[in-house]
Amino acid sequence: MQRLATAPLLALALVAACSSPGPSPADLRVAPELADMTWMLGLWRAGVGDGSGPRPAQFEHWQIADDGSLISANYQRVQGEVVPNQNSAMRVDPMGRVVLELTKYQLVGERYVPSPLPTYRLAESGPDFARFEGPDGVVPRSFLYQKGPKGQLVLSLVLPSADGEKEYFVSFDKVSEE
């Protein structure tokens, strides 16, 4: 009798183990409005090398913040020294809109000083991209984060140029997971 009682429990455990996996832990912690962008999590590098030599390497490190936002630090390594460039945060504002908040760093004397930029609003998104538009007159006008054909993180910026506007691209390869 004891054997028969455990058989249904074993079958139930086997069914549970073989069922399709649920959401990843990252998906459970991120704000639902940002779930499509969790592919960006991790450390990404643009350029060749690690920045220990004379050529700089640019990095973008995306993580999930305690409030469910996606946050990143963008920096360069130049001859082993870390030089901050920009912090980013994709979050849901109090009105329920997805926004991109940016803080650039400027060298003042011997210190890098944070300088907040205007907030960008989500213009369109899908499972592998998000495009944010800035308010009128802000530079850059827009940011587009998208998954490249080989799994890269491709960042596109629209900046003013002599001919009106020009789109610039930076492609990052994944170095490690979150």
Side-chain angles (χ1 to χ4, degrees):
M1 203 67 159
Q2 180 86 352
R3 264 194 144 97
L4 293 174
T6 55
L9 292 175
L10 288 173
L12 182 60
L14 183 60
V15 167
C18 293
S19 65
S20 63
S24 74
D27 293 336
L28 296 176
R29 296 183 302 155
V30 72
E33 298 88 343
L34 302 171
D36 279 350
M37 298 307 293
T38 57
W39 63 267
M40 293 174 54
L41 296 174
L43 179 62
W44 302 83
R45 178 184 58 227
V48 180
D50 63 2
S52 59
R55 296 182 67 188
Q58 183 176 0
F59 293 88
E60 186 131 333
H61 189 187
W62 284 92
Q63 300 176 310
I64 301 174
D66 290 342
D67 67 356
S69 300
L70 297 178
I71 58 173
S72 81
N74 180 294
Y75 57 94
Q76 287 188 333
R77 278 198 198 137
V78 183
Q79 296 182 343
E81 181 184 343
V82 174
V83 178
N85 181 31
Q86 168 177 294
N87 290 341
S88 305
M90 286 184 197
R91 62 179 85 244
V92 180
D93 74 5
M95 306 277 292
R97 299 173 298 203
V98 175
V99 297
L100 176 65
E101 298 171 345
L102 303 168
T103 301
K104 299 234 9 126
Y105 286 87
Q106 298 175 340
L107 184 59
V108 177
E110 295 183 16
R111 288 187 33 208
Y112 287 93
V113 178
S115 175
L117 295 176
T119 299
Y120 290 71
R121 64 172 177 70
L122 182 67
E124 62 179 324
S125 67
D128 56 1
F129 78 97
R131 186 172 60 81
F132 294 88
E133 294 284 332
D136 289 340
V138 71
V139 175
R141 183 177 57 78
S142 69
F143 286 86
L144 171 63
Y145 295 92
Q146 58 188 333
K147 189 184 246 184
K150 296 179 183 173
Q152 317 93 316
L153 167 62
V154 179
L155 173 59
S156 162
L157 309 161
V158 176
L159 297 167
S161 72
D163 301 333
E165 288 186 331
K166 186 170 182 182
E167 192 169 15
Y168 295 88
F169 295 91
V170 180
S171 182
F172 294 85
D173 292 315
K174 191 161 233 180
V175 175
S176 68
E177 299 298 320
E178 184 188 12

